[in-house]
């Protein structure tokens, strides 16, 4: 992951007409560093990791204690929320917000991702790194690849097969499709680990196998086959919806780029990102990703510092005249869905019969 740090003034050129040194981002970086917002927060992460681990262990303890009962579906929902929180912890580990060393971050990430929730940490980290480098760039950001959904009018014009079929009504299908996102993470992880060039392939594969075996054995040993299947489907569906709802408001419906479209680092990150307004509860629910602009500018910044960085970044963008978008929770989803529906309009028009 790219680590954003303060830059020494002496290494930067003077910006004509300002008397200040450095790029727009470099000057912002100095303000953030001077406020101490790039400093580690070991106490916060010690508490957070302890609580998430306790919830994970407690959820499985309740599962075994409850036995073969339909009340287990409540446990399935609870564990889905906990799995998503583990995924958010893995996200912070990948950005090296928790530990200074790469090795410690990788070991903890493998435990959280591969072993705990069955997601390849290496595959996700590589994919997410490409997203951070070029958010919403159709040629470089894997999160806007037209694999199932389409994200721009250009993609709609070029679409074929499943994306073309789904694109017509993708705004209505978006949330139902999120129920499959948990399964997609598992399948994509396995596919990635089948590639010989994948790093740490043996370790990652072994941990995924251990996760799958323990998970399935637990379900079918404690529950009747019918309940086990329902538990699995419900657990993975809620897990997928939670994760999808965590990431969906951040970039969907924001400007898209393709080809040789280029912006400087600050504008590339700010103009393609959307913050979601809310209090401390929302910070926990979304894992700090509601401060998407600040996170993209300073990906190694510890999550609790993002709230404190937000007014500094917003005021600086106002100084530069750079659009800085904040929305409420409902509004952020509405904007994303309107964008999806608008992108699919040309496909719907082509499928509408012309009166005779």
């Amino acid at each position: 992951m790219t680590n954003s740090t303060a830059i020494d003034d002496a290494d930067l050129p003077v910006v004509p007409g300002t008397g200040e040194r450095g790029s727009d981002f470099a000057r912002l970086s100095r303000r953030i560093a001077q406020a101490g917002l790039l400093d580690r927060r070991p106490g916060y992460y010690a508490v957070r990791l302890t609580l998430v681990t306790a919830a994970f262990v407690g959820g499985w303890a309740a599962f075994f204690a409850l036995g073969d009962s339909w009340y287990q579906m409540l446990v399935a929902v609870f564990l889905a929320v906990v799995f998503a929180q583990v995924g958010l912890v893995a996200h912070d580990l990948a950005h090296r917000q928790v530990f200074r060393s790469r090795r410690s971050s990788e070991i903890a990430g493998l435990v959280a991702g591969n072993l705990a929730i069955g997601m390849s940490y290496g595959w996700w980290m590589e994919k997410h790194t490409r997203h951070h480098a070029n958010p919403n760039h159709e040629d470089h950001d894997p999160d806007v690849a037209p694999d199932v959904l389409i994200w721009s009018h250009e993609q709609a014009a070029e679409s074929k097969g499943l994306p073309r079929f789904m694109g017509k009504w993708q705004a209505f299908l978006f949330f139902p499709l999120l129920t499959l996102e948990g399964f997609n993470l598992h399948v994509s992880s396995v596919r990635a680990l089948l590639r010989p060039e994948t790093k740490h392939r043996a370790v990652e594969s072994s941990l995924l196998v251990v996760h799958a075996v323990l998970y399935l054995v637990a379900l079918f040993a404690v529950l009747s086959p019918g309940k086990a299947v329902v538990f699995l489907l419900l657990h993975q569906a809620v897990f997928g919806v939670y994760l999808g709802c965590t990431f969906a408001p951040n970039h969907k419906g924001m400007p898209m780029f393709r080809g040789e479209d280029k912006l400087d680092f600050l504008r590339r990150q700010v103009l393609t990102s959307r913050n979601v307004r809310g209090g401390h509860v929302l910070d926990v629910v979304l894992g700090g990703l509601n401060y998407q602009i600040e996170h993209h500018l300073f990906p190694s910044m510890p999550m609790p510092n993002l709230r404190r960085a937000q007014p500094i970044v917003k005021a600086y963008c106002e100084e530069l005249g750079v659009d800085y978008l904040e929305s409420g929770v409902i509004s952020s989803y509405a904007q994303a869905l309107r964008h999806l529906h608008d992108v699919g309009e040309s496909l719907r028009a082509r499928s509408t019969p012309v009166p005779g």
Side-chain angles (χ1 to χ4, degrees):
M1 290 295 168
T2 301
N3 289 318
S4 300
T5 57
I7 299 173
D8 188 352
D9 288 6
D11 297 330
L12 299 168
V14 175
V15 178
T18 68
E20 295 188 70
R21 292 182 179 273
S23 66
D24 289 336
F25 173 70
R27 294 194 296 276
L28 173 61
S29 181
R30 288 198 298 273
R31 297 185 188 185
I32 292 294
Q34 289 166 3
L37 298 178
L38 297 177
D39 296 345
R40 302 286 173 176
R41 297 289 299 273
Y44 163 80
Y45 278 108
V47 172
R48 181 177 172 187
L49 292 174
T50 298
L51 291 176
V52 171
T53 301
F56 186 89
V57 173
W60 284 113
F63 172 83
F64 287 109
L66 196 54
D68 188 21
S69 166
W70 283 109
Y71 286 110
Q72 289 280 22
M73 302 311 124
L74 297 176
V75 178
V77 172
F78 175 78
L79 280 174
V81 172
V82 174
F83 268 44
Q85 284 292 320
V86 173
L88 291 171
V89 168
H91 169 270
D92 288 8
L93 289 164
H95 283 292
R96 294 177 67 183
Q97 297 175 17
V98 185
F99 301 111
R100 289 186 181 277
S101 75
R102 183 181 301 276
R103 180 172 177 78
S104 297
S105 299
E106 285 184 346
I107 292 173
L110 289 170
V111 172
N114 294 61
L115 184 60
I117 63 175
M119 177 191 74
S120 167
Y121 175 76
W123 159 76
W124 182 86
M125 183 175 178
E126 187 274 335
K127 172 177 174 288
H128 195 61
T129 298
R130 289 188 287 134
H131 159 71
H132 264 264
N134 290 283
N136 275 20
H137 195 293
E138 296 179 28
D139 302 323
H140 305 298
D141 183 356
D143 289 354
V144 293
D147 297 326
V148 177
L149 302 179
I150 50 178
W151 307 102
S152 71
H153 293 287
E154 291 80 6
Q155 287 183 347
E158 299 165 359
S159 63
K160 299 177 182 178
L162 183 62
R164 187 180 186 85
F165 174 76
M166 301 288 283
K168 300 173 186 178
W169 308 107
Q170 58 185 10
F172 299 98
L173 297 171
F174 181 72
F175 284 107
L177 284 172
L178 287 184
T179 62
L180 303 176
E181 182 58 23
F183 296 102
N184 178 56
L185 288 177
H186 303 316
V187 172
S188 296
S189 296
V190 172
R191 291 174 60 186
L193 293 175
L194 290 176
R195 298 197 295 265
E197 67 273 16
T198 301
K199 295 181 179 179
H200 310 303
R201 186 183 179 199
V203 173
E204 288 219 36
S205 299
S206 298
L207 291 175
L208 279 187
V209 169
V210 171
H211 168 84
V213 169
L214 292 178
Y215 180 81
L216 294 175
V217 167
L219 262 58
F220 286 92
V222 172
L223 303 174
S224 65
K227 291 190 184 75
V229 170
V230 174
F231 184 103
L232 185 151
L233 294 175
L234 178 62
H235 176 230
Q236 296 298 325
V238 176
F239 173 48
V241 170
Y242 189 159
L243 277 186
C245 288
T246 299
F247 289 94
N250 302 336
H251 301 281
K252 310 313 179 193
M254 299 302 290
M256 299 281 293
F257 300 95
R258 60 166 38 204
E260 297 303 314
D261 292 337
K262 291 183 179 180
L263 293 172
D264 67 288
F265 178 79
L266 183 142
R267 288 165 180 79
R268 183 164 70 246
Q269 304 300 338
V270 174
L271 296 178
T272 59
S273 303
R274 176 195 295 110
N275 277 13
V276 181
R277 287 191 294 267
H280 291 285
V281 172
L282 189 66
D283 293 356
V284 174
V285 171
L286 297 184
L289 297 181
N290 41 315
Y291 303 105
Q292 190 68 191
I293 294 172
E294 290 70 31
H295 170 60
H296 261 256
L297 288 170
F298 302 97
S300 64
M301 181 183 290
M303 189 277 260
N305 290 352
L306 294 170
R307 170 179 281 272
R308 295 167 56 201
Q310 192 267 342
I312 298 175
V313 174
K314 182 178 181 181
Y316 186 70
C317 288
E318 290 176 354
E319 290 178 26
L320 297 178
V322 175
D323 290 340
Y324 180 105
L325 181 59
E326 292 180 280
S327 299
V329 176
I330 302 301
S331 175
S332 66
Y333 291 115
Q335 291 173 53
L337 293 176
R338 279 197 298 269
H339 172 75
L340 287 173
H341 194 63
D342 178 62
V343 166
E345 194 278 331
S346 61
L347 298 179
R348 294 190 298 276
R350 293 177 205 170
S351 63
T352 303
V354 178

